[in-house]
Amino acid sequence: MRSEIKQKIDLAYGRIKPEMVLKNAKIVNVFSHEIVEGDVAIHQGKIVGIGNYVGQKEIDLGGKFVAPGLIDGHVHIESSMVSPTQFARAVVPRGTTTIIADPHEIANVKGIEGIKYMLDSSEGLPLNAYFMLPSCVPATYFETSGAKLLAEDLAELIDHERVLGLGELMSYPAVVSGDEEIIDKIKLAREHNKLIDGHGPEIKDKELNAYVAAGVLTEHECSTVEEMLNRLRLGMYILIRQGSAARNLKELVRGLKRENMRRCLFCTDDKHPEDILLTGHIDNNVRLAIKNGIDPISAIQMATINAAECYRLKNIGAIAPGYNADLIVVDDLKNFNVLQVYKDGIIVGENKKPLFDVKDFDNSNVTDTVRIKEVSKEDLRIRLDKDIANVIRLLPHNLVTQKVVRKVDVKNGEFKNNSKLDILKLAVIERHNATGNVGLGLVEDFRLKNGAIALTIAHDSHNLISIGDSDEDMLLAIKEVARVGGGIAIASKGKVLKSLNLPIGGIMSDESMENVNEKLAEMLNIAYEELGVNRDIDPFMTLSFLALPVIPEIKVTDKGLFDVSKFDFIDLSVKE
């Protein structure tokens, strides 16, 4: 130990040449909120000094900016539709060197085995991959998931070195009411000195006080400045989200000022392949914040040191002696174009391309997850006493739906599709235990014609969901998704037009993000061009959230049509 300390002192003083020096840099100092011109000395993956250094190897940056590696404070890797290894290949070259992931999607399919897969497959990557243990598996008891995790199950992993705490407490009514199962999970986290993530949109006043008193530290669901300020006043950290489904950054930065910025950080939550490849990852959050009036150094602070301090991550998030050499090189502080990425002092990304290889990982414990009972036309039959029905109305660019009452075609007590009416049949089929559960509903404003779509991405329990104007095409798409072991399928006029195989839990691929995105783009084109799907919605993302019974106003689970405002099931037929 004495010799190690002596070596660090000699390296920092310049008596020993460090392994590498980044010369002529404009260094973003997140502590002093300034740009410092000089060199960054790196030895054995650590920063040993800032100033004027001579190294064994020197790289002249020619006045480019150097900032700490970026941190995503809350992400579901599964939403990228690729494995952790392929996710790293996409986000690391864009500047993200640390993530805090919540694997509740795969956990809802495979339970503890799913979490272990995410931990094991992210080991050894040039990405600091930390995890929060999912708190809501299942998300509600109004749907059938592939697993149920209690505090005693989570205890097996709570002391893992890369587990930081308990994931987003989506069931905030259960927290506020003191539900025993939730309290046991909170107790587990607090006893092990672990953090607790929040998910409490719209709660306020004494409910919010109770939520924070339980130990909830963070919130990523704020959509208004008022919500954000209410939580900041109670000592919470705010994760400003810019993902694919929810994009809150532009609104929330309106409420930022120097006095409250240090309690704010960035996250993506759910971001799909096309968006990551096209707009970036946390680097996109930084660019958008700057574009919307945030000082560049403050934006970088939110993407680095703020997140590190929130999640108690030592030695990352800053450029200073003793910190890990997780660094990004950018062209300027306006466009914030990431040119190079260093992880532990080794260059791992350049011009958005990975400079590292990933090993094949054994996914066998999390494949073969689609187990459905044979589905027939009879299972898809919607019986109605009259021609007035409760219908799910889609809203453009929104996961929230409206409950509306519509007149529909009924023959012999059964719903019949009418091509002149934009009302389609929706089916959610339990796919974990082959129970035979099939929940049915009707959807307006999807505008699909002459076909059907099916997928095994259906938040949060990830049952098999299908929409279409023909029972025959729906059955065909359902069978194709089951045949390929999970994924997405499109059928039309008795033929399967295209399918995407997502064998890992039925929600992720082991192919590269570029390959997955290419196939998705082709399928999106088919959906829009050949099936005429409403261009104001993403057909696959919209469909995947129509089974989530915690987002207002009306959804369908494998157990039936669900009214979120009443938090109970309702009939398709409208009662007098």
Side-chain angles (χ1 to χ4, degrees), residues 357-401:
D357 295 320
V358 293
K359 297 178 181 179
D360 291 334
F361 191 83
D362 182 5
N363 302 324
S364 57
N365 285 345
V366 288
T367 55
D368 188 27
T369 61
V370 182
R371 299 180 181 87
I372 62 171
K373 195 173 180 179
E374 183 81 24
V375 183
S376 66
K377 280 189 180 181
E378 183 65 25
D379 295 314
L380 300 182
R381 187 166 290 158
I382 293 178
R383 293 174 177 80
L384 296 171
D385 331 9
K386 50 186 179 179
D387 62 357
I388 305 296
N390 286 310
V391 172
I392 302 168
R393 181 171 179 262
L394 303 181
L395 299 175
H397 312 294
N398 209 318
L399 301 182
V400 171
T401 58

Side-chain angles (χ1 to χ4, degrees), residues 379 426-430 436-441 556-561:
D379 295 314
L426 178 75
V428 178
I429 298 142
E430 193 279 322
N437 288 356
V438 179
L440 298 170
V556 178
T557 78
D558 65 299
K559 297 181 180 181
L561 185 64

Side-chain angles (χ1 to χ4, degrees), residues 96-152:
T96 302
T97 55
T98 300
I99 60 170
I100 294 90
D102 184 338
H104 82 219
E105 313 292 357
I106 190 69
N108 268 284
V109 178
K110 289 293 292 183
I112 287 293
E113 281 301 315
I115 302 172
K116 287 180 178 178
Y117 162 75
M118 299 298 276
L119 281 163
D120 293 345
S121 62
S122 60
E123 184 74 47
L125 295 172
L127 175 70
N128 301 317
Y130 295 99
F131 288 85
M132 305 295 281
L133 297 180
S135 65
C136 297
V137 178
T140 73
Y141 296 108
F142 299 100
E143 55 193 322
T144 306
S145 67
K148 180 178 181 180
L149 295 180
L150 300 174
E152 58 212 58

